[in-house]
Amino acid sequence: MPSPAHVLDKYYLAITLLVTIGYQLLGFAIAWTFQFDKITDFTGGSNFFLLALLTLLMGNTFYARNIVASVLVMVWATRLACFLLYRVLKMGSDTRFDEIRSHFFKFLGFWIGQIVWVWIVSLPVTILNSPAVSDPSLGGSNPTFGTSRDIAGIVLWAVGWLIESVADLQKSQYKARNPPKDRPITAGIWAWSRHPPYFGEMLCWWGIWILCLSPTTNGSLFSSARAAQYGTVVSPVFTVLLLMFASGIPTAEKPTARKYYLMSHGSSNGTNGSSSTYPDAWQKYKAYLASTSILIPIPPVLYRPLPRWIKQTILLDFPFYQFDERKDGREAVRGEDGAADL
C-alpha cells in the first residue's frame, strides 16, 4: 500500500484550510468584480467536494471506509452545489445579498463565514484521510470495514440525504405549479416539517462523523489521533448550531410569518397582498404552525394535540422563533407603510 502524502501537518488541517481560503477568495474576487452571486452557494458546496477528493488522494491508502466516507461527502456536496446553482440561475439573483453585494467588507464577511463553515464541517473526513489516522507507520489504524458504527453512519447519512433531496425536489415542483399565495407548502414531507432540508443536512453530518470514527473506537490509534477524531464532533454540532441559531431557521421563520401577517393586516395599497385580497392568510398560517413541526418530521395528527411546552422545548420550536403579533406585527405594518410612502 503506497504511503500517504505528508503535507504541512499530519492531520491535513493546514493544507485544507489554505485550499479553502484560496478557493473561497477566488470566488469572492469573481463575485465582487462582476457584482453577481450566481457562484456564491455553488462555491461553498463544491468546496466540500474538493476537500474530500483532495484528502482522499493525498491519503493514498484507499481503505474502504475512507473511500465510502469521501464519496458520501462528494455526493452530498454535488447535489447541494448543483441544486443551489440551478435555483439561483432560475431566480436570476439571490435576494440575501441585495444589501451587501456592493459593500466590499460586508460581502467579504459572508465569504469568510463560508470558509469557516466548509473547513469545520469537513473535519471528520479530513482527519480520517490524514496520515495520523490512516498511515500505519505513524500509528494509524484501519479496522475491518463494516463495524456497527460504519453501518449506523451510512444509514443515518442515507436517511438524511433522502430527506434533504426529496424535500428540495418537492418544493421545486410545488412552486412550479403556481400555488396559492396565501398558504405555505404542505406537500409531501413539508406537511410533517417546516424545514425538512435542514433536518436532513443535520442527519447527514452526524452520519459522516459516526462513519469516520471507527479507527478510534475499533482500532488502535495513538491518544492524540483519538482525541482529534473525537474532536471532529465539532462538525455535526456546528451544523446543528448554524441551522438552528444562525443562517438557517432564524432567517426563515419570522420573515415568513411577517409575509402572511401582512397579507391579512397590511395596508390596503396592495403591497404584499392586502387584507381584502387575503383576509384568512394569517389565520391559515397560524393553523399551519400549530400542526407542523418546526424541524423533526412528525405527522400533523400527532403533532397538533401536543402541549405547547413540549413543542417549544423537546421539539425545538423555541419562543424566539415566534412572530409576536403585537410587537412584530406593528413593526411589520409600520415598515410596509413607510416603504409605500417612499
PDB file of all heavy atoms in Angstrom, residues 34-48:
ATOM      1  N   PHE A  34     -17.676  41.193 -10.726  1.00  0.00           N
ATOM      2  CA  PHE A  34     -18.801  41.231 -11.662  1.00  0.00           C
ATOM      3  C   PHE A  34     -20.130  41.527 -10.977  1.00  0.00           C
ATOM      4  O   PHE A  34     -21.172  41.571 -11.643  1.00  0.00           O
ATOM      5  CB  PHE A  34     -18.876  39.906 -12.427  1.00  0.00           C
ATOM      6  CG  PHE A  34     -17.677  39.647 -13.294  1.00  0.00           C
ATOM      7  CD1 PHE A  34     -16.657  38.795 -12.886  1.00  0.00           C
ATOM      8  CD2 PHE A  34     -17.542  40.290 -14.523  1.00  0.00           C
ATOM      9  CE1 PHE A  34     -15.547  38.560 -13.677  1.00  0.00           C
ATOM     10  CE2 PHE A  34     -16.437  40.063 -15.328  1.00  0.00           C
ATOM     11  CZ  PHE A  34     -15.426  39.198 -14.908  1.00  0.00           C
ATOM     12  N   GLN A  35     -20.096  41.724  -9.650  1.00  0.00           N
ATOM     13  CA  GLN A  35     -21.285  42.085  -8.882  1.00  0.00           C
ATOM     14  C   GLN A  35     -22.465  41.151  -9.151  1.00  0.00           C
ATOM     15  O   GLN A  35     -23.565  41.575  -9.499  1.00  0.00           O
ATOM     16  CB  GLN A  35     -21.683  43.539  -9.177  1.00  0.00           C
ATOM     17  CG  GLN A  35     -20.800  44.564  -8.497  1.00  0.00           C
ATOM     18  CD  GLN A  35     -20.931  44.536  -6.967  1.00  0.00           C
ATOM     19  OE1 GLN A  35     -21.955  44.928  -6.425  1.00  0.00           O
ATOM     20  NE2 GLN A  35     -19.900  44.054  -6.288  1.00  0.00           N
ATOM     21  N   PHE A  36     -22.198  39.866  -8.999  1.00  0.00           N
ATOM     22  CA  PHE A  36     -23.284  38.893  -9.106  1.00  0.00           C
ATOM     23  C   PHE A  36     -23.043  37.772  -8.109  1.00  0.00           C
ATOM     24  O   PHE A  36     -21.963  37.642  -7.543  1.00  0.00           O
ATOM     25  CB  PHE A  36     -23.428  38.377 -10.535  1.00  0.00           C
ATOM     26  CG  PHE A  36     -22.374  37.391 -10.977  1.00  0.00           C
ATOM     27  CD1 PHE A  36     -22.657  36.477 -11.974  1.00  0.00           C
ATOM     28  CD2 PHE A  36     -21.094  37.351 -10.412  1.00  0.00           C
ATOM     29  CE1 PHE A  36     -21.697  35.573 -12.412  1.00  0.00           C
ATOM     30  CE2 PHE A  36     -20.131  36.451 -10.841  1.00  0.00           C
ATOM     31  CZ  PHE A  36     -20.438  35.553 -11.849  1.00  0.00           C
ATOM     32  N   ASP A  37     -24.088  36.998  -7.860  1.00  0.00           N
ATOM     33  CA  ASP A  37     -23.982  35.950  -6.839  1.00  0.00           C
ATOM     34  C   ASP A  37     -24.375  34.589  -7.394  1.00  0.00           C
ATOM     35  O   ASP A  37     -24.858  33.736  -6.653  1.00  0.00           O
ATOM     36  CB  ASP A  37     -24.844  36.298  -5.613  1.00  0.00           C
ATOM     37  CG  ASP A  37     -26.155  36.960  -5.979  1.00  0.00           C
ATOM     38  OD1 ASP A  37     -26.891  36.386  -6.812  1.00  0.00           O
ATOM     39  OD2 ASP A  37     -26.424  38.051  -5.465  1.00  0.00           O
ATOM     40  N   LYS A  38     -24.174  34.388  -8.683  1.00  0.00           N
ATOM     41  CA  LYS A  38     -24.529  33.107  -9.281  1.00  0.00           C
ATOM     42  C   LYS A  38     -23.665  31.963  -8.738  1.00  0.00           C
ATOM     43  O   LYS A  38     -24.112  30.821  -8.664  1.00  0.00           O
ATOM     44  CB  LYS A  38     -24.362  33.174 -10.816  1.00  0.00           C
ATOM     45  CG  LYS A  38     -25.215  34.233 -11.503  1.00  0.00           C
ATOM     46  CD  LYS A  38     -26.684  33.903 -11.464  1.00  0.00           C
ATOM     47  CE  LYS A  38     -27.500  34.802 -12.396  1.00  0.00           C
ATOM     48  NZ  LYS A  38     -27.401  36.232 -12.077  1.00  0.00           N
ATOM     49  N   ILE A  39     -22.415  32.274  -8.369  1.00  0.00           N
ATOM     50  CA  ILE A  39     -21.497  31.211  -7.960  1.00  0.00           C
ATOM     51  C   ILE A  39     -21.324  31.109  -6.451  1.00  0.00           C
ATOM     52  O   ILE A  39     -20.601  30.237  -5.970  1.00  0.00           O
ATOM     53  CB  ILE A  39     -20.108  31.425  -8.596  1.00  0.00           C
ATOM     54  CG1 ILE A  39     -19.464  32.713  -8.062  1.00  0.00           C
ATOM     55  CG2 ILE A  39     -20.193  31.427 -10.111  1.00  0.00           C
ATOM     56  CD1 ILE A  39     -18.005  32.854  -8.423  1.00  0.00           C
ATOM     57  N   THR A  40     -21.992  31.967  -5.687  1.00  0.00           N
ATOM     58  CA  THR A  40     -21.718  32.056  -4.248  1.00  0.00           C
ATOM     59  C   THR A  40     -21.982  30.741  -3.533  1.00  0.00           C
ATOM     60  O   THR A  40     -21.095  30.176  -2.880  1.00  0.00           O
ATOM     61  CB  THR A  40     -22.560  33.181  -3.623  1.00  0.00           C
ATOM     62  OG1 THR A  40     -22.303  34.408  -4.336  1.00  0.00           O
ATOM     63  CG2 THR A  40     -22.184  33.370  -2.159  1.00  0.00           C
ATOM     64  N   ASP A  41     -23.199  30.229  -3.619  1.00  0.00           N
ATOM     65  CA  ASP A  41     -23.530  28.973  -2.948  1.00  0.00           C
ATOM     66  C   ASP A  41     -22.867  27.781  -3.629  1.00  0.00           C
ATOM     67  O   ASP A  41     -22.492  26.807  -2.967  1.00  0.00           O
ATOM     68  CB  ASP A  41     -25.048  28.780  -2.903  1.00  0.00           C
ATOM     69  CG  ASP A  41     -25.702  29.689  -1.872  1.00  0.00           C
ATOM     70  OD1 ASP A  41     -25.049  29.996  -0.852  1.00  0.00           O
ATOM     71  OD2 ASP A  41     -26.854  30.095  -2.090  1.00  0.00           O
ATOM     72  N   PHE A  42     -22.722  27.850  -4.948  1.00  0.00           N
ATOM     73  CA  PHE A  42     -22.052  26.762  -5.665  1.00  0.00           C
ATOM     74  C   PHE A  42     -20.613  26.615  -5.187  1.00  0.00           C
ATOM     75  O   PHE A  42     -20.109  25.493  -5.022  1.00  0.00           O
ATOM     76  CB  PHE A  42     -22.076  27.030  -7.175  1.00  0.00           C
ATOM     77  CG  PHE A  42     -21.323  26.007  -7.977  1.00  0.00           C
ATOM     78  CD1 PHE A  42     -21.916  24.790  -8.291  1.00  0.00           C
ATOM     79  CD2 PHE A  42     -20.018  26.245  -8.395  1.00  0.00           C
ATOM     80  CE1 PHE A  42     -21.218  23.831  -9.021  1.00  0.00           C
ATOM     81  CE2 PHE A  42     -19.315  25.292  -9.127  1.00  0.00           C
ATOM     82  CZ  PHE A  42     -19.915  24.080  -9.434  1.00  0.00           C
ATOM     83  N   THR A  43     -19.949  27.734  -4.939  1.00  0.00           N
ATOM     84  CA  THR A  43     -18.571  27.691  -4.461  1.00  0.00           C
ATOM     85  C   THR A  43     -18.481  27.037  -3.092  1.00  0.00           C
ATOM     86  O   THR A  43     -17.538  26.297  -2.797  1.00  0.00           O
ATOM     87  CB  THR A  43     -17.984  29.116  -4.403  1.00  0.00           C
ATOM     88  OG1 THR A  43     -18.158  29.753  -5.674  1.00  0.00           O
ATOM     89  CG2 THR A  43     -16.512  29.088  -4.062  1.00  0.00           C
ATOM     90  N   GLY A  44     -19.476  27.287  -2.246  1.00  0.00           N
ATOM     91  CA  GLY A  44     -19.492  26.646  -0.938  1.00  0.00           C
ATOM     92  C   GLY A  44     -19.663  25.145  -1.039  1.00  0.00           C
ATOM     93  O   GLY A  44     -18.876  24.375  -0.473  1.00  0.00           O
ATOM     94  N   GLY A  45     -20.663  24.704  -1.782  1.00  0.00           N
ATOM     95  CA  GLY A  45     -20.916  23.270  -1.912  1.00  0.00           C
ATOM     96  C   GLY A  45     -19.780  22.528  -2.588  1.00  0.00           C
ATOM     97  O   GLY A  45     -19.361  21.455  -2.140  1.00  0.00           O
ATOM     98  N   SER A  46     -19.253  23.113  -3.666  1.00  0.00           N
ATOM     99  CA  SER A  46     -18.186  22.428  -4.401  1.00  0.00           C
ATOM    100  C   SER A  46     -16.893  22.360  -3.599  1.00  0.00           C
ATOM    101  O   SER A  46     -16.049  21.492  -3.839  1.00  0.00           O
ATOM    102  CB  SER A  46     -17.945  23.116  -5.747  1.00  0.00           C
ATOM    103  OG  SER A  46     -17.605  24.479  -5.575  1.00  0.00           O
ATOM    104  N   ASN A  47     -16.711  23.266  -2.637  1.00  0.00           N
ATOM    105  CA  ASN A  47     -15.524  23.239  -1.789  1.00  0.00           C
ATOM    106  C   ASN A  47     -15.474  21.959  -0.944  1.00  0.00           C
ATOM    107  O   ASN A  47     -14.396  21.389  -0.710  1.00  0.00           O
ATOM    108  CB  ASN A  47     -15.511  24.479  -0.895  1.00  0.00           C
ATOM    109  CG  ASN A  47     -14.132  24.858  -0.394  1.00  0.00           C
ATOM    110  OD1 ASN A  47     -13.879  26.020  -0.074  1.00  0.00           O
ATOM    111  ND2 ASN A  47     -13.229  23.900  -0.279  1.00  0.00           N
ATOM    112  N   PHE A  48     -16.633  21.484  -0.499  1.00  0.00           N
ATOM    113  CA  PHE A  48     -16.684  20.215   0.237  1.00  0.00           C
ATOM    114  C   PHE A  48     -16.188  19.068  -0.644  1.00  0.00           C
ATOM    115  O   PHE A  48     -15.442  18.197  -0.195  1.00  0.00           O
ATOM    116  CB  PHE A  48     -18.119  19.924   0.692  1.00  0.00           C
ATOM    117  CG  PHE A  48     -18.570  20.725   1.880  1.00  0.00           C
ATOM    118  CD1 PHE A  48     -19.316  21.884   1.720  1.00  0.00           C
ATOM    119  CD2 PHE A  48     -18.273  20.301   3.166  1.00  0.00           C
ATOM    120  CE1 PHE A  48     -19.746  22.610   2.810  1.00  0.00           C
ATOM    121  CE2 PHE A  48     -18.696  21.024   4.268  1.00  0.00           C
ATOM    122  CZ  PHE A  48     -19.429  22.186   4.091  1.00  0.00           C
TER     123      PHE A  48
END
